[in-house]
Amino acid sequence: IGEALARALQLDGRGRMIDVGCGPGIIALMLAPLFQEVVGVDPDAGMLSEAERRATEQTIANARWVRGRGEDLPLGLGTFRVATFAASFHWMNRPLVAGLVRQMFEPGGAFVQLTNTAYVGRLASDSPHKRAADDAETAEPLPHPLPPYDEINEIVRRYLGPLRRAGQGVRTSSPDDEELVLERAGFAPAEKVWVKGVGVVLRTRDDIVAHYFSTSSSAPHLFGDRVDAFEAEVCRALAEASPSGLFAERTGDTELRIWRR
């Protein structure tokens, strides 16, 4: 993903990037080597604590974390070369945030959305992609069972309610005409770049539990004192799906949509 974005935007290690709705910092930290500084913004303090922990663990020193909503920008953060939104823009007041971010760009700035088809499919039952595994049923059989994402998503809903969460907020709507929103905000038509998935990957039980806890919609602090009970239920579902504790899945492609100022 980093290589594809660097080619598309001719990144050279200079400039600053802001990741709006950064969650636990996965994308900000992945792209940090491409910039002089990356700034992650998220309204959830728990997500920012996890992002800071990951940055320390990965010895990444050019990232910092700011608590705030996309609607609160610019927050005195200055100007940026790139703004990224990874599965976060649809949680926001899109026309407002698009306009605010555009004003924060240096000349030639780019608004970038990153969407992984497998990730969207496994966490959002209303996704047009559905699950990437559905499209691969006729491919070579996997060496281990698929992770039971449907069952785990149902456990999440029982604990946190039917609406998908983003930290302490919930997603209640998702207007479809995003192209029009960004055009009206002053962006040129999107350039789309596809990054192929790496193929089949193996997952352990701990990998899948960690994946759910790393997302904004099922972060550990959202469960309060029921977090251990939730984890135990997930582990039981995983044990039933694969007694060996091993799973396999095909990674989805990642779509980069780049709107230039």
Side-chain angles (χ1 to χ4, degrees):
I1 293 173
E3 292 179 2
L5 190 63
R7 285 194 302 270
L9 297 179
Q10 299 181 323
L11 301 176
D12 54 9
R14 294 182 293 178
R16 305 170 72 225
M17 184 194 96
I18 183 170
D19 187 21
V20 186
C22 66
I26 295 171
I27 294 299
L29 295 175
M30 178 194 303
L31 301 179
L34 302 177
F35 297 91
Q36 181 179 352
E37 181 185 44
V38 295
V39 178
V41 176
D42 199 278
D44 194 285
M47 287 287 100
L48 296 178
S49 294
E50 175 64 13
E52 188 168 5
R53 184 194 69 78
R54 287 170 179 257
T56 300
E57 184 178 76
Q58 298 175 38
T59 64
I60 294 175
N62 67 329
R64 67 184 178 103
W65 315 101
V66 176
R67 188 174 184 183
R69 300 161 62 243
E71 293 84 351
D72 298 331
L73 294 172
L75 293 170
L77 296 176
T79 59
F80 295 87
R81 187 172 184 178
V82 173
T84 54
F85 294 78
S88 62
F89 192 43
H90 56 270
W91 295 92
M92 304 172 190
N93 179 332
R94 292 195 243 196
L96 174 61
V97 173
L100 292 172
V101 169
R102 185 180 182 278
Q103 295 173 28
M104 298 172 69
F105 281 139
E106 62 184 45
F111 181 115
V112 180
Q113 280 190 284
L114 303 91
T115 305
N116 182 274
T117 56
Y119 175 82
V120 170
R122 73 174 68 118
L123 292 182
S125 60
D126 59 343
S127 165
H129 300 293
K130 232 5 190 160
R131 290 173 57 178
D134 294 344
D135 299 327
E137 289 179 350
T138 60
E140 184 178 347
L142 294 170
H144 299 285
L146 281 165
Y149 290 122
D150 289 342
E151 291 81 355
I152 299 174
N153 291 342
E154 180 56 35
I155 295 171
V156 173
R157 283 191 286 270
R158 283 198 285 104
Y159 276 80
L160 299 182
L163 296 177
R164 289 184 60 211
R165 306 184 69 89
Q168 299 299 332
V170 296
R171 174 182 172 182
T172 57
S173 64
S174 181
D176 293 326
D177 201 349
E178 203 157 77
E179 299 278 353
L180 183 58
V181 167
L182 287 155
E183 178 185 334
R184 287 175 173 171
F187 290 94
E191 172 189 352
K192 298 182 181 180
V193 177
W194 283 91
V195 181
K196 293 293 293 182
V198 298
V200 175
V201 295
L202 300 183
R203 311 282 192 202
T204 66
R205 181 197 67 182
D206 290 344
D207 290 336
I208 296 167
V209 172
H211 163 71
Y212 272 86
F213 280 152
S214 74
T215 65
S216 297
S217 57
S218 54
H221 64 281
L222 296 178
F223 297 90
D225 59 8
R226 300 194 300 165
V227 65
D228 291 338
F230 167 76
E231 183 173 354
E233 282 202 47
V234 171
C235 288
R236 284 195 293 272
L238 292 170
E240 291 175 4
S242 176
S244 72
L246 295 175
F247 301 86
E249 62 179 323
R250 292 177 178 86
T251 59
D253 298 339
T254 297
E255 181 189 31
L256 307 178
R257 285 190 288 172
I258 302 170
W259 283 273
R260 299 178 192 267
R261 186 177 186 272

